[in-house]
Amino acid sequence: MAVERLLMQAREAAGLSQAGLAEAAGSSQPTLSSYERGQKSPTLDTAARIIGEAGFEFALTPKIEFVETGSTRGRPIMTPTALPRLAPEKALATIELPLHLNWSDRGRRYNLRDRRQRARVYEIVMREGGPADILAYIDGVLLADIWNELVLPPAVRTAWERAVIGTGDAEPSVA
């Protein structure tokens, strides 16, 4: 995501005007406007200061890539190189899975605050889903918490095991 979009999202999420955020960050409204329109590029320090004044942290997270780590029923099993993190409101939302994931129980809504329902969603997504589905519905910390309770085909469990519990002395990475 471009810096200008990050600055605008942080400002809007904080409910601040350009003038209000610029003043709090020790800048001017025209300068912040130029940053948000991509006409000027702030230094990383400046971008971090502005985002910080909006109440956010400017941080690096691991890039999540997907690798084919096996197959089941003729489909590849795609696993992430790091476990994804979801915003709490998304990780604990009430959702309806799309038809390509939940074709046998279409229209069912799942409350991800409920541990059993969350486990069911994770089982479905890990079995049936691709990278976009994994990034949309699975939170790495919540997955690690319920890992031993999930009912998964052996090939899926084996494929995901390294991402979830790591191997040897290495700890799994959570993005």
Side-chain angles (χ1 to χ4, degrees), residues 87-118:
E89 62 274 6
K90 194 170 180 182
L92 301 172
T94 297
I95 62 162
E96 182 178 321
L97 291 172
L99 186 60
H100 74 275
L101 292 174
N102 201 22
W103 43 267
S104 66
D105 198 7
R106 55 199 270 187
R108 179 173 176 190
R109 297 185 54 82
Y110 296 91
N111 179 351
L112 298 178
R113 291 179 189 275
D114 180 281
R115 188 176 183 89
R116 284 193 349 239
Q117 290 183 44
R118 183 171 57 247

Side-chain angles (χ1 to χ4, degrees), residues 14-155:
L16 296 170
S17 65
Q18 283 183 342
L21 180 56
E23 182 180 336
S27 187
S28 69
Q29 184 276 327
T31 300
L32 180 56
S33 177
S34 293
Y35 292 156
E36 287 187 3
R37 288 181 298 174
Q39 294 174 328
K40 282 183 161 181
S41 294
T43 65
L44 285 177
D45 286 340
T46 299
R49 184 180 74 247
I50 293 169
I51 288 170
E53 288 299 328
F56 294 90
E57 197 172 285
F58 194 52
L60 295 175
T61 58
K63 181 178 178 181
I64 299 175
E65 295 178 336
F66 287 83
V67 293
E68 187 175 329
T69 53
S71 67
T72 183
R73 296 184 338 243
R75 324 179 130 141
I77 300 170
M78 302 299 289
T79 58
T81 54
L83 294 177
R85 291 303 317 268
L86 298 177
E89 62 274 6
K90 194 170 180 182
L92 301 172
T94 297
I95 62 162
E96 182 178 321
L97 291 172
L99 186 60
H100 74 275
L101 292 174
N102 201 22
W103 43 267
S104 66
D105 198 7
R106 55 199 270 187
R108 179 173 176 190
R109 297 185 54 82
Y110 296 91
N111 179 351
L112 298 178
R113 291 179 189 275
D114 180 281
R115 188 176 183 89
R116 284 193 349 239
Q117 290 183 44
R118 183 171 57 247
R120 182 69 182 131
V121 166
Y122 285 16
E123 291 164 357
I124 292 168
V125 172
M126 292 170 74
R127 261 193 346 262
E128 306 292 335
D133 302 310
I134 292 163
L135 294 174
Y137 299 109
I138 293 182
D139 179 84
V141 170
L142 296 175
L143 172 62
D145 180 53
I146 63 172
W147 177 249
N148 292 327
E149 301 165 33
L150 297 179
V151 178
L152 296 167

